[in-house]
Amino acid sequence: MTASNWTLVMQGEWMLKFYAPWCPSCQQTDSEWETFAKNGEILQISVGKVDVIQEPGLSGRFFVTTLPAFFHAKDGIFRRYRGPGIFEDLQNYILEKKWQSVEPLTGWKSPASLTMSGMAGLFSISGKIWHLHNYFTVTLGVPAWCSYVFFVIATLVFGLFMGLVLVVISECIYVPLPRHLSERSGQNLRSEEAHRAEQLQDAEEEKDDSNEEENKDSLVDEEEEKEDLGDEDEVEDEEEEDNAAAGVEEERSDTNDQGPLRKGSRAQKEIEPEETEDDVPEQPCSADTEVVEDSLRQRKSQHADKGL
């Protein structure tokens, strides 16, 4: 099976084996696969095999990552056979139709899909590069690092060339506008930019106005709070003055009430000594008694003054 005739598996029932000559597991199943292929006419099935070294594109199309790999195809519907590559198991897989219980490869995983076709192209390019590298190193005897440098330079040149091709294609496809239309479009762009700038300025002015209004409102609120605080302070001062005046009046009333009583008591005290003096018989006075009497009189006068 090669890349040129792989479409044959799209019709009828097929069993495919992907192998490599250097793979030990593939070599162990070669005899079993040959026996299975000889009995293909009896089983009414077609049998084929693919060398991944010679056909890297097909290995990419079927996305082969392990060897050996077996696939079953029935009218373009592909399934992966994951059993051992023994003749009896392969025969029972076909006779008992065990493939019906296996989930088919659908969508992008199908070998006939567009994605797998792209994968086949990538694998084929990588296979050609590998063959070319072997030709440089084995046939021509070029050092491996020289081969790597060659591929690096070739990749850069190819990338630049593809970029140039894309630019040329874009220039060919792109149709320039007439001059008057381009001028109009430029004017429209300028007018749109000016309109956007005006909108931005208006938005900034609105923000500034809103900020100023907020500042004014905050200042008014602060002044009102200060006035309220001043009124409260005045009320407190008036209350304190009223309390002080009331206290002074109370003190005056107390002093007025207590004044006559004190005067009366003082008068009684002054009278009592006189009565006692009248009652006491006259005795000869001395200088000491006179001094004591003078001191007593002074104290009484002082107390009377304080009471007034």
Side-chain angles (χ1 to χ4, degrees), residues 11-117:
Q11 297 176 358
E13 190 173 2
W14 284 76
M15 282 294 292
L16 295 176
K17 175 188 176 182
F18 288 82
Y19 73 100
W22 50 263
C23 177
S25 300
C26 298
Q27 294 173 2
Q28 291 176 2
T29 59
D30 282 342
S31 60
E32 299 289 338
W33 188 257
E34 292 295 333
T35 305
F36 177 70
K38 289 178 182 179
N39 293 325
E41 294 180 359
I42 299 172
L43 299 172
Q44 296 180 355
I45 189 173
S46 301
V47 180
K49 60 180 181 179
V50 180
D51 185 357
V52 296
I53 302 299
Q54 299 297 326
E55 299 294 336
L58 280 180
S59 65
R61 185 178 292 277
F62 285 83
F63 201 69
V64 176
T65 57
T66 58
L67 294 174
F70 303 94
F71 287 89
H72 174 267
K74 178 70 174 177
D75 296 330
I77 298 174
F78 297 87
R79 292 175 174 86
R80 182 74 178 265
Y81 171 76
R82 299 184 181 278
I86 302 172
F87 170 71
E88 294 179 357
D89 291 334
L90 292 169
Q91 187 176 6
N92 293 328
Y93 185 78
I94 299 301
L95 292 175
E96 297 177 4
K97 295 184 179 181
K98 293 181 179 180
W99 50 267
Q100 293 180 352
S101 61
V102 179
E103 185 178 358
L105 300 176
T106 57
W108 68 272
K109 293 182 180 180
S110 177
S113 64
L114 183 62
T115 55
M116 289 296 104
S117 298

Side-chain angles (χ1 to χ4, degrees), residues 21-22 51-57 123-140 147 150-151:
W22 50 263
D51 185 357
V52 296
I53 302 299
Q54 299 297 326
E55 299 294 336
F123 273 65
S124 62
I125 292 170
S126 65
K128 290 177 181 179
I129 292 172
W130 182 76
H131 285 298
L132 186 60
H133 176 72
N134 288 334
Y135 175 75
F136 288 154
T137 56
V138 177
T139 305
L140 300 178
S147 178
F150 171 77
F151 283 114

Side-chain angles (χ1 to χ4, degrees), residues 189-251:
L189 291 173
R190 291 175 184 174
S191 62
E192 288 179 358
E193 291 178 356
H195 184 65
R196 291 177 183 175
E198 290 177 357
Q199 289 179 352
L200 292 173
Q201 289 179 358
D202 295 335
E204 290 179 356
E205 290 177 356
E206 289 178 357
K207 289 181 180 179
D208 295 334
D209 295 335
S210 62
N211 292 327
E212 289 178 358
E213 290 178 357
E214 290 178 356
N215 293 327
K216 289 179 180 180
D217 294 335
S218 63
L219 291 173
V220 170
D221 294 335
E222 290 179 357
E223 290 178 357
E224 290 178 355
E225 290 178 357
K226 289 180 180 179
E227 290 177 357
D228 295 335
L229 293 173
D231 295 335
E232 291 178 357
D233 294 335
E234 290 178 357
V235 170
E236 290 179 355
D237 294 335
E238 291 177 357
E239 290 178 354
E240 290 179 357
E241 290 177 358
D242 295 335
N243 293 328
V248 171
E249 289 178 357
E250 290 178 357
E251 289 178 358

